[in-house]
Amino acid sequence: MSWLPKSPKARRRLWVVAAVAPILALAVGLSLWAMRDSVTFFFSPSEVTAENAPAGRVVRLGGLVEAGSVERDGTGEIAFVVTDNLASTRIVYRGELPDLFREGQGIVAQGAFQPDRTFRATQVLAKHDENYMPREVADRLKETGEWRPEDGAPARAGVPTT
């Protein structure tokens, strides 16, 4: 008894699937192999080790900026420490920091570790919480009287503020 179907039409379909499957698998494999350098992994300071984030490999590092750790020198470099309350990592960055950057605030820095395990950032992104609102939206709500300054959130439509 043969494992091939008896119908000629079904056999043709099986041969087409058998011919297309390896080509498709090869295409997917080559695509993934080509994209391996464009993948950027995210780590917190306690997850970073020399094995999973070797020196020179571009990664993203996220956590809270430690209070009192921000240092600015005359050359335009800014150094600060990021923590996740389990471990801390020193980050060095040259450039403009985002407006939302401050001590105690969450940030994500993209860059690479140096051989001395200092993180050299090429980009710093400041994270915001769910209460963030663009300035234009806040100004418009203030103009219409729907802004609630006691909790910083806008009033719901149709609900009077007290």
Side-chain angles (χ1 to χ4, degrees):
M1 179 171 253
S2 174
W3 58 273
L4 290 175
K6 294 187 190 285
S7 165
K9 195 173 189 181
R11 281 187 186 177
R12 216 177 6 248
R13 281 190 207 134
L14 182 63
W15 283 113
V16 168
V17 169
V20 170
I23 295 170
L24 184 62
L26 180 66
V28 169
L30 288 174
S31 298
L32 292 174
W33 183 74
M35 292 188 304
R36 74 186 185 287
D37 290 335
S38 65
V39 173
T40 305
F41 292 101
F42 177 84
F43 297 103
S44 66
S46 61
E47 296 172 335
V48 174
T49 63
E51 292 81 36
N52 61 14
R57 181 177 178 196
V58 176
V59 296
R60 288 187 176 173
L61 181 67
L64 298 174
V65 178
E66 272 189 7
S69 69
V70 179
E71 303 169 359
R72 299 173 193 265
D73 66 4
T75 65
E77 275 196 352
I78 302 157
F80 53 93
V81 176
V82 171
T83 183
D84 61 357
N85 295 329
L86 297 175
S88 299
T89 302
R90 179 178 160 83
I91 297 177
V92 179
Y93 176 69
R94 178 184 294 273
E96 290 280 324
L97 287 172
D99 292 338
L100 296 173
F101 179 90
R102 65 178 181 275
E103 294 176 355
Q105 181 71 31
I107 63 112
V108 175
Q110 182 169 323
F113 280 95
Q114 303 299 304
D116 66 353
R117 299 307 290 167
T118 299
F119 190 80
R120 171 74 58 180
T122 57
Q123 183 180 26
V124 174
L125 306 168
K127 296 169 66 177
H128 55 75
D129 62 6
E130 67 279 358
N131 296 325
Y132 170 75
M133 186 175 304
R135 180 177 293 151
E136 297 82 15
V137 174
D139 290 344
R140 199 160 289 139
L141 288 172
K142 287 176 185 176
E143 288 173 9
T144 61
E146 294 180 16
W147 184 257
R148 295 173 73 188
E150 61 270 8
D151 64 357
R156 291 193 320 253
V159 178
T161 58
T162 56

